[in-house]
Amino acid sequence: MSTNIPAGLIKLGSIGVLKMSEPPVNGLGFALRAAIVALLDRAVADPEIEAIVLSGGEQIFSAGADVREFGTARTSSAPTLPDVIAAIEASAKPVVAAIAGNCLGGGLELAMGCHFRLARRDASLGLPEVKLGLLPGAGGTQRLPRLIGVERALNMIVSGQPVNALAVAGTALLDEVVESDVVDAAVAFARDVVVGKRAFRRARDIAIVDPLAEPFLQFARTNVGAASSPFPAPLQCVEAVANAVGKPFDEGLRLEREIFATLMASPESRALRHIFSAERAASKLPDVPADTPLRDVRRVGVIGAGTMGGGIAMAFADAGMPVVLLETKQEALDRGVGTIRRNYEASMKKGRLTQAQLDERIARIVPTLEYAALADADLVIEAVFEEMSVKHDVFRRLDAIAKPGAILASNTSALDLNRIASFVQRPQDVIGLHFFSPANVMRLLEVVRGEKTAPDVLATCMALAKRIRKVAVVAGVCDGFIGNRMVVRYGSAAGGLLMQGASPQQIDGALQRFGLAMGPFRMADMAGLDIGWAARKRHAAEVPGSQPRVAADTLCEAGRFGQKTGAGWYRYEAGKRDPIPDPAVDAIVEQFRRESGITPRKIGEQEIVERCVYALVNEGARILEDGIAARASDIDVVYLSGYGFPRHRGGPMLYADTVGLANVVRALKRFAAEPGAEAWWQPAPLLVKLADEGRTFN
């Protein structure tokens, strides 16, 4: 908790200004709640004060609950937020909310408890609790429909999206919208209330008179229910608003609290709250101070105009940064620029871009065939073929022309970054920036820290990730880093199930019903089977005998590389991405089973999920042991943002916590004891240790 005084009270003549001061967002934790009530009581008891202005200053009102208190006793310690709001509503003196900046969640509920509200025109008002698997639990579902109408209120609550103050000007939610100096305006407004002896207007006393409310709510139940599965919160928001329409205020308030408590205890809300915290924790580097000076990155170079390089260039152009895009041949450069233009044109057709915005983005990308054009770049990212000799040539040439202090980044998905850094005379400037395809869309960015990567390079790239709207996770150097190292085990588990009797579509179907965006075989087809094939051949060359032949090798030898060739584990019709089961694949698999002496058996859906997901968890534990990831939640962020793991499960490591680590260990030991089981099925020591101690990853 902050050691600052969370709130203060000053007198401006007959007006008491109660200012919240709990940086950075005026989170309504216990200390601030208690301070508001104490100062409110003092102001009400002061005969010199005739009205009260509640403010967070000119920068922010309040972003709502202090999420650090979720799950602790302080969440329910009196005064709770409903207690604070009840005290404000019951005040014998008028209370005016002065809203600036963010007024979100509990912050908006607090403001709605005031008798009057003023907002600066650029203020942002919203109830985003649904994004944490919750609903507003301090009267938001009961007061907002009374202030702005049922339909508009429900849309705000179910979407969780904030609105600008101007969007709700003229409703009972805001008495005035001002250009600036909202606190001064609120003080003047409060004086007018006193002088004019204006009656208090409590949101709870407003009657909802809307003959179309019931049919709208029924429509909302149908649509929200269909769109929100497997999350219960959106549909519960509809029911809470329905209570505002059909029940007395106090009854609706009681039911809202009951629903809130039920949702707070749900695994879906736990998962979403975990994700919220995990994404923020991922940006914190234990050994890199938050005030580390950053390098100035204004101009970016990208080497390679293929799918990945073009997507990376778009990501920076979208963020308003000029990009030099290098290719070695004019034909490849023209093809890459053409693909970028078509991608932007597709966005324009969908209404996401205007023609002017498209032209601006294209103009920011400067194509070139000359390495010399990268001489002024502050950051250069190579996205060339995943072959060490190719990387060697690129970094050797970069070392000769890049300016001092330029950051040299590799987009490698698996290669040894320390070896790549050894190709240059400035290894401290080398870092891995592993984008995920399509790079202009996918949120995840693995920031790979080499053994000689300078702290300011790491800090700069983490800050830059936010600038280009990526979720960045720091990874250490190993084969595959975090995500791809784990996906190898995941793929091996799926391959073992395939050999033992399951079909690609059965395995994919089970994992997709579990909640994954797509199963391992569909994912392999989308990524390209040749990528894994190249990695297996590389490993076999480095460690002879380490790579037994697998069915995917035969597919690749037949030119079946996945969607891009129209055939992989499935076949695909021209211009379509729908996977179609292929008897040719069944024949290849059956041949492998015969050659391996395997008699296929019936495999259930639960076993498929356990083997594949527990393989991820086990390798995740080893990644933590090896120091490749700083925390278990970082691994969850990688799998949620880059690999389509279901958000309602919270990531593989949180899912293991939910299932119980002791149960995961028992299952892994059972798999490891099977005849011919590979050694990696043995439970990781960290996993065993945590299970034995009754602890969890998170």
Side-chain angles (χ1 to χ4, degrees):
M1 296 299 295
S2 171
T3 57
N4 297 331
I5 298 172
L9 178 67
I10 63 171
K11 286 193 280 189
L12 298 177
S14 63
I15 308 302
V17 178
L18 198 171
K19 182 182 177 183
M20 297 177 284
S21 183
E22 182 75 307
V25 296
N26 286 335
L28 292 163
F30 170 76
L32 181 53
R33 299 195 305 267
I36 292 171
V37 172
L39 294 173
L40 177 70
D41 288 345
R42 188 196 303 174
V44 171
D46 189 331
E48 294 181 357
I49 293 178
E50 297 183 284
I52 302 158
V53 169
L54 177 62
S55 160
E58 293 291 341
Q59 300 303 314
I60 188 168
F61 186 76
S62 170
D66 187 340
V67 294
R68 295 170 298 181
E69 292 188 355
F70 279 178
T72 71
R74 282 182 171 263
T75 302
S76 56
S77 295
T80 63
L81 185 54
D83 294 337
V84 177
I85 294 169
I88 290 172
E89 279 188 328
S91 169
K93 296 176 180 179
V95 182
V96 181
I99 302 169
N102 285 335
C103 179
L104 304 174
L108 180 55
E109 290 178 300
L110 182 67
M112 289 191 289
C114 297
H115 307 121
F116 303 96
R117 288 162 293 278
L118 276 70
R120 206 171 62 200
R121 63 177 295 154
D122 58 352
S124 182
L125 296 84
L127 295 170
E129 287 86 352
V130 72
K131 295 181 180 181
L132 296 180
L134 302 169
L135 52 59
T141 65
Q142 305 304 297
R143 291 185 178 89
L144 192 62
R146 288 171 161 82
L147 293 170
I148 66 172
V150 173
E151 182 173 350
R152 186 182 284 186
L154 185 60
N155 288 337
M156 278 183 65
I157 293 168
V158 169
S159 72
Q161 294 299 319
V163 299
N164 182 269
L166 289 174
V168 286
T171 69
L173 180 59
L174 297 177
D175 294 278
E176 285 187 15
V177 175
V178 300
E179 293 291 326
S180 61
D181 302 322
V182 69
V183 177
D184 290 346
V187 169
F189 183 92
R191 288 196 181 105
D192 290 343
V193 168
V194 172
V195 171
K197 297 182 179 179
R198 288 180 59 174
F200 295 10
R201 185 178 59 190
R202 301 191 306 173
R204 63 177 292 140
D205 296 332
I206 299 174
I208 295 177
V209 181
D210 183 353
L212 299 178
E214 283 300 337
F216 169 72
L217 288 166
Q218 192 54 47
F219 169 81
R221 287 185 180 97
T222 301
N223 285 273
V224 172
S228 61
S229 180
F231 295 103
L235 196 55
Q236 289 299 319
C237 289
V238 178
E239 296 309 321
V241 171
N243 291 335
V245 174
K247 299 183 184 300
F249 181 85
D250 286 329
E251 176 70 1
L253 205 62
R254 182 185 65 78
L255 293 170
E256 179 193 79
R257 289 303 295 175
E258 288 182 0
I259 296 171
F260 180 87
T262 300
L263 291 174
M264 178 65 83
S266 71
E268 294 83 6
S269 178
R270 181 190 180 191
L272 292 178
R273 298 196 313 270
H274 170 72
I275 296 166
F276 178 86
S277 299
E279 290 186 353
R280 282 147 186 81
S283 65
K284 295 178 174 61
L285 311 175
D287 60 341
V288 179
D291 59 355
T292 299
L294 305 182
R295 298 192 186 187
D296 190 18
V297 178
R298 299 185 183 183
R299 186 176 176 85
V300 177
V302 177
I303 302 175
T307 300
M308 184 60 77
I312 294 171
M314 290 177 68
F316 284 99
D318 291 346
M321 300 179 69
V323 181
V324 176
L325 182 61
L326 172 70
E327 257 295 353
T328 55
K329 295 182 180 179
Q330 188 66 52
E331 181 183 359
L333 187 61
D334 292 342
R335 184 166 56 248
V337 172
T339 299
I340 290 171
R341 179 174 286 278
R342 285 193 295 276
N343 287 339
Y344 279 136
E345 288 173 346
S347 293
M348 188 175 71
K349 288 177 182 177
K350 295 174 183 176
R352 297 173 184 165
L353 287 179
T354 64
Q355 182 66 54
Q357 289 171 327
L358 182 152
D359 293 340
E360 287 174 1
R361 284 163 168 75
I362 290 291
R364 291 184 191 125
I365 301 174
V366 179
T368 184
L369 297 173
E370 302 296 331
Y371 267 84
L374 302 174
D376 293 331
D378 303 300
L379 165 68
V380 182
I381 307 170
E382 66 78 10
V384 300
F385 189 67
E386 194 77 334
E387 175 62 51
M388 192 62 82
S389 61
V390 180
K391 309 287 189 187
H392 179 274
D393 180 62
V394 167
F395 274 84
R396 180 182 56 79
R397 299 180 72 173
L398 272 181
D399 200 24
I401 60 97
K403 68 182 183 181
I407 298 172
L408 309 181
S410 173
N411 180 57
T412 180
S413 61
L415 298 182
D416 186 343
L417 187 78
N418 292 329
R419 188 176 169 197
I420 292 172
S422 73
F423 300 151
V424 300
Q425 299 300 309
R426 36 176 151 177
Q428 72 279 1
D429 294 336
V430 175
I431 196 167
L433 293 180
H434 177 210
F435 288 81
F436 286 69
S437 186
N440 57 307
V441 175
M442 294 292 285
R443 295 178 69 226
L444 180 63
L445 176 62
E446 275 187 320
V447 179
V448 185
R449 181 183 196 175
E451 61 183 18
K452 294 184 179 179
T453 301
D456 66 330
V457 169
L458 184 61
T460 298
C461 289
M462 293 298 286
L464 190 62
K466 293 181 181 179
R467 197 167 156 192
I468 61 173
R469 298 183 178 180
K470 301 296 181 188
V471 176
V473 175
V474 175
V477 176
C478 67
D479 197 348
F481 314 127
I482 296 173
N484 283 344
R485 174 172 160 176
M486 289 171 65
V487 87
V488 167
R489 296 294 181 232
Y490 175 73
S492 294
L497 287 161
L498 184 75
M499 288 299 100
Q500 291 183 53
S503 66
Q505 53 268 34
Q506 182 190 358
I507 296 167
D508 284 348
L511 288 161
Q512 286 159 202
R513 283 185 287 277
F514 174 75
L516 282 151
M518 61 179 67
F521 296 99
R522 285 188 63 193
M523 183 174 71
D525 274 2
M526 186 182 74
L529 301 186
D530 51 325
I531 295 174
W533 190 34
R536 290 191 296 277
K537 288 190 288 186
R538 173 167 57 84
H539 281 297
E542 293 171 353
V543 185
S546 65
Q547 289 293 317
R549 186 173 173 78
V550 295
D553 295 337
T554 300
L555 296 181
C556 290
E557 288 162 0
R560 298 178 67 113
F561 295 157
Q563 289 183 11
K564 58 190 173 186
T565 58
W569 288 108
Y570 299 89
R571 66 179 181 85
Y572 301 87
E573 294 181 353
K576 296 183 179 180
R577 294 178 177 268
D578 302 318
I580 302 170
D582 192 339
V585 173
D586 296 336
I588 290 171
V589 172
E590 288 169 7
Q591 177 66 22
F592 263 81
R593 289 172 183 158
R594 285 194 298 271
E595 292 174 356
S596 303
I598 295 172
T599 301
R601 63 182 177 85
K602 186 175 182 180
I603 297 174
E605 191 156 304
Q606 181 177 343
E607 182 182 353
I608 291 172
V609 171
E610 283 187 351
R611 284 182 181 267
C612 290
V613 176
Y614 292 176
L616 285 176
V617 172
N618 202 30
E619 195 63 24
R622 291 198 170 93
I623 283 171
L624 289 171
E625 289 171 347
D626 295 344
I628 300 302
R631 47 185 82 84
S633 61
D634 286 358
I635 295 172
D636 286 336
V637 171
V638 166
Y639 262 80
L640 290 159
S641 300
Y643 293 85
F645 201 86
R647 291 180 68 81
H648 70 283
R649 309 282 188 186
M653 310 311 277
L654 184 74
Y655 178 71
D657 287 346
T658 305
V659 170
L661 298 192
N663 293 325
V664 175
V665 168
R666 288 182 67 248
L668 288 170
K669 286 180 177 178
R670 188 172 70 250
F671 302 150
E674 294 173 349
E678 295 180 88
W680 55 262
W681 277 118
Q682 288 293 339
L686 174 62
L687 181 53
V688 174
K689 182 175 185 291
L690 292 174
D692 287 346
E693 294 173 357
R695 296 165 59 201
T696 61
F697 285 118
N698 297 283

mmCIF file of all heavy atoms in Angstrom, residues 413-415 434 446 478-486 643:
data_model
loop_
_atom_site.group_PDB
_atom_site.id
_atom_site.type_symbol
_atom_site.label_atom_id
_atom_site.label_comp_id
_atom_site.label_asym_id
_atom_site.label_seq_id
_atom_site.Cartn_x
_atom_site.Cartn_y
_atom_site.Cartn_z
ATOM 1 N N SER A 413 13.249 -17.437 -33.913
ATOM 2 C CA SER A 413 12.269 -18.081 -33.042
ATOM 3 C C SER A 413 12.881 -19.183 -32.196
ATOM 4 O O SER A 413 12.217 -19.719 -31.313
ATOM 5 C CB SER A 413 11.134 -18.672 -33.888
ATOM 6 O OG SER A 413 11.649 -19.653 -34.781
ATOM 7 N N ALA A 414 14.164 -19.514 -32.451
ATOM 8 C CA ALA A 414 14.743 -20.637 -31.708
ATOM 9 C C ALA A 414 16.264 -20.616 -31.633
ATOM 10 O O ALA A 414 16.837 -21.246 -30.749
ATOM 11 C CB ALA A 414 14.300 -21.959 -32.337
ATOM 12 N N LEU A 415 16.937 -19.935 -32.556
ATOM 13 C CA LEU A 415 18.395 -20.032 -32.639
ATOM 14 C C LEU A 415 19.080 -19.366 -31.449
ATOM 15 O O LEU A 415 18.501 -18.527 -30.760
ATOM 16 C CB LEU A 415 18.889 -19.407 -33.948
ATOM 17 C CG LEU A 415 18.390 -20.070 -35.235
ATOM 18 C CD1 LEU A 415 18.990 -19.373 -36.448
ATOM 19 C CD2 LEU A 415 18.718 -21.558 -35.256
ATOM 20 N N HIS A 434 11.346 -11.549 -30.858
ATOM 21 C CA HIS A 434 10.638 -12.628 -31.537
ATOM 22 C C HIS A 434 9.167 -12.260 -31.679
ATOM 23 O O HIS A 434 8.383 -12.408 -30.739
ATOM 24 C CB HIS A 434 10.805 -13.939 -30.765
ATOM 25 C CG HIS A 434 10.053 -15.084 -31.368
ATOM 26 N ND1 HIS A 434 9.544 -16.125 -30.628
ATOM 27 C CD2 HIS A 434 9.702 -15.350 -32.655
ATOM 28 C CE1 HIS A 434 8.921 -16.970 -31.414
ATOM 29 N NE2 HIS A 434 9.000 -16.518 -32.648
ATOM 30 N N GLU A 446 8.229 -11.846 -27.689
ATOM 31 C CA GLU A 446 9.238 -12.408 -26.801
ATOM 32 C C GLU A 446 10.513 -11.583 -26.943
ATOM 33 O O GLU A 446 11.083 -11.507 -28.033
ATOM 34 C CB GLU A 446 9.528 -13.866 -27.150
ATOM 35 C CG GLU A 446 8.599 -14.862 -26.518
ATOM 36 C CD GLU A 446 9.026 -16.303 -26.759
ATOM 37 O OE1 GLU A 446 9.464 -16.625 -27.877
ATOM 38 O OE2 GLU A 446 8.920 -17.117 -25.835
ATOM 39 N N CYS A 478 17.671 -20.116 -24.899
ATOM 40 C CA CYS A 478 17.664 -21.580 -24.995
ATOM 41 C C CYS A 478 16.982 -21.901 -26.316
ATOM 42 O O CYS A 478 16.443 -21.004 -26.978
ATOM 43 C CB CYS A 478 16.927 -22.231 -23.823
ATOM 44 S SG CYS A 478 15.156 -21.903 -23.790
ATOM 45 N N ASP A 479 16.991 -23.120 -26.714
ATOM 46 C CA ASP A 479 16.380 -23.498 -27.983
ATOM 47 C C ASP A 479 14.866 -23.318 -27.901
ATOM 48 O O ASP A 479 14.184 -24.023 -27.158
ATOM 49 C CB ASP A 479 16.718 -24.954 -28.307
ATOM 50 C CG ASP A 479 16.468 -25.287 -29.772
ATOM 51 O OD1 ASP A 479 15.829 -24.481 -30.465
ATOM 52 O OD2 ASP A 479 16.915 -26.349 -30.222
ATOM 53 N N GLY A 480 14.331 -22.343 -28.625
ATOM 54 C CA GLY A 480 12.891 -22.104 -28.642
ATOM 55 C C GLY A 480 12.413 -21.093 -27.637
ATOM 56 O O GLY A 480 11.228 -20.772 -27.600
ATOM 57 N N PHE A 481 13.324 -20.615 -26.757
ATOM 58 C CA PHE A 481 12.970 -19.614 -25.739
ATOM 59 C C PHE A 481 11.839 -20.151 -24.846
ATOM 60 O O PHE A 481 11.942 -21.259 -24.352
ATOM 61 C CB PHE A 481 12.661 -18.271 -26.389
ATOM 62 C CG PHE A 481 13.674 -17.881 -27.433
ATOM 63 C CD1 PHE A 481 13.295 -17.522 -28.715
ATOM 64 C CD2 PHE A 481 15.032 -17.934 -27.144
ATOM 65 C CE1 PHE A 481 14.241 -17.199 -29.675
ATOM 66 C CE2 PHE A 481 15.996 -17.616 -28.098
ATOM 67 C CZ PHE A 481 15.595 -17.251 -29.372
ATOM 68 N N ILE A 482 10.771 -19.385 -24.667
ATOM 69 C CA ILE A 482 9.681 -19.881 -23.809
ATOM 70 C C ILE A 482 8.643 -20.632 -24.644
ATOM 71 O O ILE A 482 8.421 -21.826 -24.480
ATOM 72 C CB ILE A 482 9.008 -18.724 -23.043
ATOM 73 C CG1 ILE A 482 9.993 -18.060 -22.086
ATOM 74 C CG2 ILE A 482 7.800 -19.256 -22.250
ATOM 75 C CD1 ILE A 482 9.460 -16.806 -21.410
ATOM 76 N N GLY A 483 8.019 -19.916 -25.556
ATOM 77 C CA GLY A 483 6.875 -20.468 -26.270
ATOM 78 C C GLY A 483 7.198 -21.670 -27.123
ATOM 79 O O GLY A 483 6.559 -22.734 -27.004
ATOM 80 N N ASN A 484 8.190 -21.559 -27.996
ATOM 81 C CA ASN A 484 8.477 -22.665 -28.911
ATOM 82 C C ASN A 484 9.165 -23.831 -28.218
ATOM 83 O O ASN A 484 9.049 -24.976 -28.670
ATOM 84 C CB ASN A 484 9.321 -22.156 -30.082
ATOM 85 C CG ASN A 484 8.471 -21.385 -31.083
ATOM 86 O OD1 ASN A 484 7.246 -21.483 -31.066
ATOM 87 N ND2 ASN A 484 9.110 -20.608 -31.935
ATOM 88 N N ARG A 485 9.891 -23.558 -27.138
ATOM 89 C CA ARG A 485 10.455 -24.675 -26.373
ATOM 90 C C ARG A 485 9.319 -25.518 -25.797
ATOM 91 O O ARG A 485 9.385 -26.757 -25.814
ATOM 92 C CB ARG A 485 11.350 -24.143 -25.251
ATOM 93 C CG ARG A 485 11.862 -25.233 -24.315
ATOM 94 C CD ARG A 485 12.883 -24.707 -23.338
ATOM 95 N NE ARG A 485 13.028 -25.589 -22.183
ATOM 96 C CZ ARG A 485 13.910 -25.414 -21.206
ATOM 97 N NH1 ARG A 485 14.735 -24.377 -21.233
ATOM 98 N NH2 ARG A 485 13.972 -26.256 -20.189
ATOM 99 N N MET A 486 8.295 -24.869 -25.282
ATOM 100 C CA MET A 486 7.165 -25.606 -24.728
ATOM 101 C C MET A 486 6.336 -26.285 -25.806
ATOM 102 O O MET A 486 5.836 -27.402 -25.617
ATOM 103 C CB MET A 486 6.295 -24.665 -23.891
ATOM 104 C CG MET A 486 6.953 -24.232 -22.587
ATOM 105 S SD MET A 486 6.032 -22.931 -21.728
ATOM 106 C CE MET A 486 4.507 -23.786 -21.311
ATOM 107 N N TYR A 643 -0.249 -18.169 -28.421
ATOM 108 C CA TYR A 643 -0.542 -19.544 -28.827
ATOM 109 C C TYR A 643 -2.012 -19.920 -28.683
ATOM 110 O O TYR A 643 -2.360 -21.096 -28.813
ATOM 111 C CB TYR A 643 0.323 -20.516 -28.022
ATOM 112 C CG TYR A 643 1.798 -20.402 -28.358
ATOM 113 C CD1 TYR A 643 2.599 -19.450 -27.724
ATOM 114 C CD2 TYR A 643 2.388 -21.208 -29.326
ATOM 115 C CE1 TYR A 643 3.940 -19.321 -28.030
ATOM 116 C CE2 TYR A 643 3.732 -21.093 -29.638
ATOM 117 C CZ TYR A 643 4.504 -20.142 -28.990
ATOM 118 O OH TYR A 643 5.834 -20.018 -29.313
#
